[in-house]
Amino acid sequence: MTPELHNLAQHVLHGLSAPQKALSSAWFYDDEGSRLFQRIMTLPEYYLTRAEHALLRERVDELLRWIDPDHRPLDLIELGSGDGEKAVTLCRALHARHVDSTFRPIDVSAHALAELSRRFDEHLPRMALKPVLGDYLARWPERSPERHQVVMLLGSNLGNFDQVGACALLRRIRTQLRSGDVLLLGLDLVKDPRVIHAAYDDSRGVTAEFNLNLLRRLNRELGMNFDTGRFSHFASYCPLQAVMRSFLISHVTQVVHSTVLDREFTFAPGETLHTEQSQKYSPESIAELAELSGFAHTHLITGSEPRYALAIWHRPQDAS
Ligand SMILES: C[S@@+](CC[C@H](N)C(=O)[O-])C[C@H]1O[C@@H](n2cnc3c(N)ncnc32)[C@H](O)[C@@H]1O
């Protein structure tokens, strides 16, 4: 068994044995999951990608003034890069400024990294590109001591973690940075709950397929026998906590078996399996998170409609 399969097996054993069944959204991205997410990003309801990309395009001069004011050689590291559609915009701007930069994307999805490499070959063949296939919670792209690091966590990926998990990830990132290095976060802001809800429950059912694909992955990789026709996608936004949550609801009493785990899991009718959470932020909660995780909150670039933000944080001089 590969270490990745072992991790998945342990995660599923733990997550399906808990009183509230839950699995991490990090496991959505097998090849088919990555393909479905690429479709989600083009859906009319899924405003996040377009809003973030618009900020990266339209405010790129302002952004570069904050992340690389003196045109120093830099490593641009993207955690969970996906297909690199937005990164290519920023890399193009760095290239145009003749900044000596290397792009180091890290992603668990081989499919996403293949798409990214194809995109860079086509649009920026001269950019130094060093992709890493792996889990950014476990490894870090190679670093060169003489270059400054700009780390990007885009797509509101941070929102997939609860407050404790987000702080743990941010502190881990901080330990990889030297004083003056930069963290660039793409964060979705609170807005009309109906707009947020529609983004995670689109009318064409692509998000539902994306959610159900997790069960297909478990069938294939853990020898499970989920009948996806007996589960439905359910998405719910809580304005009080500013959090969007996705679930799979079991239609009937059913027992699902895994040959790899040699275990059965019982679902009751109406029982929910929690599969994703997406925290939404306010400018105040972003500043608070920076303080909690030991970063200096340097600058916030916000778009108007739909509201989205790029937060620029620095590792302060005295952080340990
Ligand atoms: C929501 S997509 C965002 C992609 C891209 N950053 C963007 O903004 O469009 C999340 C990406 O992060 C990757 N990912 C999720 N958890 C990861 C982890 N722990 N380590 C590495 N990649 C991860 C997934 O494979 C997927 O490509």
Side-chain angles (χ1 to χ4, degrees):
M1 193 185 289
T2 63
E4 198 201 10
L5 190 60
H6 175 78
N7 286 346
L8 175 62
Q10 291 309 305
H11 181 74
V12 168
L13 179 61
H14 180 76
L16 296 190
S17 307
Q20 168 61 64
K21 292 183 173 66
L23 295 172
S24 163
S25 55
W27 295 104
F28 277 148
Y29 301 93
D30 63 353
D31 285 356
E32 181 58 12
S34 287
R35 266 190 287 274
L36 285 165
F37 187 70
Q38 283 183 300
R39 278 185 65 199
I40 288 174
M41 290 193 290
T42 66
L43 292 170
E45 294 98 331
Y46 197 79
Y47 60 85
L48 288 88
T49 306
R50 282 185 298 278
E52 189 175 65
H53 206 166
L55 286 180
L56 286 169
R57 252 192 329 262
E58 292 158 18
R59 310 281 288 273
V60 70
D61 290 337
E62 177 182 356
L63 181 60
L64 290 181
R65 271 200 303 280
W66 286 96
I67 66 177
D68 187 40
D70 35 12
H71 297 209
R72 282 185 294 164
L74 64 86
D75 279 338
L76 183 65
I77 296 167
E78 183 171 9
L79 308 179
S81 58
D83 65 8
E85 191 194 345
K86 287 169 276 185
V88 92
T89 300
L90 190 56
C91 289
R92 209 182 263 131
L94 286 168
H95 220 245
R97 286 179 151 212
H98 305 290
V99 173
D100 171 6
S101 48
T102 300
F103 182 41
R104 297 179 184 274
I106 174 164
D107 204 290
V108 280
S109 164
H111 173 81
L113 288 181
E115 285 289 300
L116 182 147
S117 298
R118 192 195 48 72
R119 192 183 293 281
F120 272 75
D121 278 353
E122 188 183 335
H123 297 288
L124 262 181
R126 291 209 298 282
M127 178 89 195
L129 177 66
K130 299 267 167 67
V132 177
L133 179 63
D135 179 351
Y136 61 65
L137 298 174
R139 54 185 299 203
W140 193 258
E142 195 188 320
R143 52 193 292 183
S144 23
E146 67 284 356
R147 300 166 77 82
H148 111 105
Q149 296 182 104
V150 174
V151 178
M152 304 197 290
L153 190 59
L154 299 180
S156 213
N157 269 12
L158 188 69
N160 294 145
F161 297 86
D162 62 17
Q163 173 97 338
V164 172
C167 279
L169 172 61
L170 291 166
R171 289 203 195 97
R172 178 179 137 65
I173 294 172
R174 200 193 61 188
T175 61
Q176 298 292 342
L177 303 185
R178 290 179 295 259
S179 149
D181 284 348
V182 176
L183 175 61
L184 171 64
L185 294 165
L187 298 171
D188 194 16
L189 296 177
V190 285
K191 58 180 68 61
D192 185 330
R194 292 164 299 186
V195 174
I196 296 175
H197 182 268
Y200 295 84
D201 201 8
D202 67 279
S203 55
R204 289 166 208 184
V206 185
T207 318
E209 271 310 299
F210 179 63
N211 202 359
L212 287 163
N213 182 60
L214 181 58
L215 303 185
R216 293 193 191 99
R217 176 177 193 173
L218 301 187
N219 285 350
R220 193 180 60 248
E221 297 191 20
L222 295 181
M224 300 190 80
N225 58 346
F226 278 107
D227 176 351
T228 53
R230 293 176 157 204
F231 288 87
S232 288
H233 170 67
F234 175 69
S236 142
Y237 179 67
C238 172
L240 298 178
Q241 296 167 315
V243 63
M244 183 75 218
R245 294 187 180 91
S246 297
F247 302 86
L248 289 166
I249 303 180
S250 170
H251 299 171
V252 291
T253 302
Q254 47 188 323
V255 178
V256 179
H257 181 256
S258 162
T259 53
V260 170
L261 288 165
D262 194 21
R263 276 286 298 265
E264 286 186 339
F265 304 95
T266 303
F267 288 81
E271 186 174 354
T272 56
L273 165 59
H274 181 204
T275 52
E276 188 179 29
Q277 83 137 26
S278 304
Q279 183 69 48
K280 307 301 165 189
Y281 299 90
S282 63
E284 295 75 23
S285 67
I286 294 172
E288 191 186 340
L289 199 52
E291 194 175 335
L292 279 174
S293 50
F295 277 94
H297 177 52
T298 317
H299 189 59
L300 194 68
I301 298 177
T302 52
S304 45
E305 286 304 325
R307 299 182 70 233
Y308 199 89
L310 295 174
I312 298 145
W313 296 359
H314 280 82
R315 178 179 163 140
Q317 298 262 336
D318 55 349
S320 53

